[in-house]
Structures are given as C-alpha cells and as structure tokens.
Amino acid sequence: MKLLIDDAHMDLIRHLYEFYPVDGVTTNPSILAKSKRNPYEVLKEIRAWIGADAQLHVQAVSREAAGMEEEAHRIVKELGENTYVKIPALPEGFKAMKTLCKEGIFISATAVYTPMQAFLAGKCGASYAAPYINRIDNLGYDGVQVAKKIHDMFRNNGLKTEVLAASFKNSRQLLELCEYGVGAATVAPEIMEGLVKNQTVTAAVEDFIRDFESLTGTGINMSSCEMTIE
C-alpha cells in the first residue's frame, strides 16, 4: 500500500519525509486555501521537495467537464507528468475523465462515497478512486468496508484502478485497509504521526538505553564504547 501525506504545509511535509517512507503528497482546494498563498507557488514548492518521481495529487475545481480538462492540462504542464489530477466522481467529472485518460493524464477520482461512483471512474480509466472513509462513517455507513468493497470490485472486473483511501479519523482504520492490501492511502500528518506513537514502546527503548549506560557510562553507545570496560 502506498502511503501519501494529505497536506500542503511544507514544514510538516519535510518532517514526515525525513522520518517515514512516504510515496507522495495529496492536496485539495480546502488544504490549499489554508496556506493563504498562490496555489501554484505552494504546489511547485511541494513538487521540488518530493521530486519528479513522487506522486502529487491536485484537484480541478471547475463544475463542468470542459473546465476540468483545461485545468488538468495546466496542472500537468506546471507540475510534471507524474501529477495526478483529482476529478470529482460526478457526471461532468466522468465526462472529463474519459477524455483526459485517453490523453494519458493520470486521474484520481475524488469525492467518492459509493462503490458505483468508484466503478464508473474505473471504467473511465482513472488510476485511483478515493473513498472518504470518515465522511462515509458520518453518513451512517462503514467507510472501511466500502473501501474494501471497491477494492474487490476493481479486481473482480479486471480494472487497473486502485483505491486511494482518504479522510481517516484514526490509525485503526488505516491499519485495517493496509492489512487488506488496498492500493494507497492518504493521511493527515497527525494521523501518520499517531501510527507509531506508543508510550509502551518508548518506555521499552528507554529501559534498554539505561541498562546499557549502566554498563558503559552515560552517553556511551555502540559506536563510542571502549573495547574493554573496567
């Protein structure tokens, strides 16, 4: 499962890239609005940091297919061929997806709440369909189960489209989809940090360090300890 950062804050992106094996960054209009900066300025900064080979997902905001197509061409021109254009899984969006996929532009179907939306996006040629896990939960359904059903539906119908799970509220949801083997997940920085935040683990590591230093001295480790200890 690919793991992407769902944010546009460069300090957070740099921090997560330093410590975790992430595969790229996703953004949306709301995330970009929070930066209060020119969208392309932010996105080019992200692209420069993550490199040309990493995935970058950027959403079109037009309501009609023609506008989405025009935006997609500009997005790819400015940010590179490995940029995935997020298109909403609505009738106008499906129309745009069909055209853009034929042109070889990578598409992520977004605002996916139902398996049928995802299926139609897959039929259009989208690379990803992004079910909103927590938002589906808030409608009274099971977002994780919907994502699993979409994954199975793609495989059963011979579609190359992958699930890009989004909108998580906790790490358990992410773990369950990781175990199931969905294609990708995009995660807010606080959720990603929470994947390994565990006081029991931290305490165990500190115990090891204290025991070792009781033998060798404070601040001594395996690279600095002497061959003989008095």
Side-chain angles (χ1 to χ4, degrees), residues 182-224:
V182 303
T186 182
V187 187
E190 62 270 20
I191 298 293
M192 192 174 294
E193 293 275 25
L195 297 177
V196 293
K197 188 177 292 184
N198 187 313
Q199 291 299 321
T200 302
V201 175
T202 302
V205 173
E206 290 300 320
D207 286 343
F208 289 138
I209 294 172
R210 280 193 296 270
D211 288 345
F212 190 82
E213 289 182 340
S214 71
L215 172 67
T216 62
T218 302
I220 302 300
N221 57 39
M222 288 297 290
S223 68
S224 57

Side-chain angles (χ1 to χ4, degrees), residues 57 85 114 137 150 169 173 180 184:
H57 295 243
V85 181
T114 69
D137 282 357
I150 292 170
K169 65 180 177 182
Q173 295 171 317
Y180 202 71

Side-chain angles (χ1 to χ4, degrees), residues 30-60:
S30 298
I31 285 174
L32 291 174
K34 291 177 183 177
S35 73
K36 300 187 183 301
R37 296 169 57 195
N38 179 279
Y40 278 110
E41 180 181 297
V42 176
L43 292 166
K44 286 185 176 182
E45 190 174 351
I46 294 171
R47 172 55 82 196
W49 175 260
I50 66 177
D53 294 333
Q55 292 188 11
L56 177 60
H57 295 243
V58 180
Q59 187 166 333

